[in-house]
Amino acid sequence: GLCRGSKGTRLRISVARGVLNVTAQLLGATAGALLLQAVIPAVSQGALGAHGLGPGISPGAGLLAEAILTFALVFVVFATALDPRGLTHLGPLAIGFTVLVDHLVGVPLTGASMNPARSFGPALITGSWAGHWIYWIGPLLGAAIAALLYQQVFGHREG
C-alpha cells in the first residue's frame, strides 16, 4: 500500500499495486469513452475527447507542455495531499485550482491530458492515435521530475 516514511514524503506502492492502478485507469478511460460513444449521437461524437495538438503546436512543444502541466499537478499533489507536513486540509482546493489553471493554459495547446489513461480511452475507441506518444511521455516525464524534485528538496526535512 501507500506508505509514509518516518520523514513524511517517502511514498511507495508495490509493483503489483502500481500495475493494477494503471490497468484500472486504462480500463476506466476506455469504459468512459465507450459510454460517451453510446450516449452521444454519431453525428456529434467527434473524437470523443481524444487529445490532439492545437494549431501550430509542434510535437516537441506539445511534449514540453504536457510535461510542465503534469509537473505542476503532481508537485501540488505531493505538497498538499501526500505530505503530512503540508497543508493537507487544503489539498483538494489546491489540486482543483491546479487542474483548472492547467486546463486554462493547456487545452488550447494539447488538450491538457496530464494522464496517459485519460488520453488512451478516447484514442482507442476512435482510433485517434496521431501524436499519442506525447500523452504518455510528457506526463510520465513531468510526474517523474516532480516526484524526484519534491523528494530531493522536501524529503529530508524534519517535520
Side-chain angles (χ1 to χ4, degrees), residues 4-5 7 17 24 26 37-39 41 54 62-63 73 77 86 88 93-94 100 116 121 126 131 144 146-147 152-153:
R4 289 191 174 91
K7 296 188 179 162
R17 188 167 187 155
L26 293 171
Q37 188 178 49
V39 171
L63 179 70
L73 178 58
V77 168
T88 55
L93 186 62
L100 172 66
T126 64
Q152 290 304 307
V153 173

Side-chain angles (χ1 to χ4, degrees), residues 11-155:
L11 301 168
R12 308 257 185 232
I13 62 171
S14 69
V15 172
R17 188 167 187 155
V19 169
L20 285 173
N21 183 292
V22 169
T23 302
Q25 287 191 41
L26 293 171
L27 290 172
T30 302
L34 283 169
L35 286 171
L36 285 175
Q37 188 178 49
V39 171
I40 298 172
V43 69
S44 301
Q45 283 181 3
L48 295 175
H51 289 109
L53 297 176
I57 304 298
S58 70
L63 179 70
L64 183 59
E66 282 294 325
I68 292 169
L69 297 169
T70 308
F71 174 93
L73 178 58
V74 170
F75 197 88
V76 168
V77 168
F78 269 90
T80 60
L82 298 179
D83 191 339
R85 300 165 303 175
L87 300 172
T88 55
H89 63 286
L90 294 178
L93 186 62
I95 293 165
F97 275 129
T98 303
V99 170
L100 172 66
V101 171
D102 274 1
H103 276 84
L104 291 173
V105 171
V107 166
L109 304 174
T110 63
S113 173
M114 300 173 282
N115 181 341
R118 162 62 186 90
S119 298
F120 176 79
L124 179 66
I125 300 307
T126 64
S128 302
W129 297 105
H132 189 71
W133 62 274
I134 293 167
Y135 302 103
W136 282 84
I137 295 175
L140 292 173
L141 184 63
I145 293 170
L148 290 171
L149 182 66
Y150 195 85
Q151 183 65 34
Q152 290 304 307
V153 173
F154 300 106

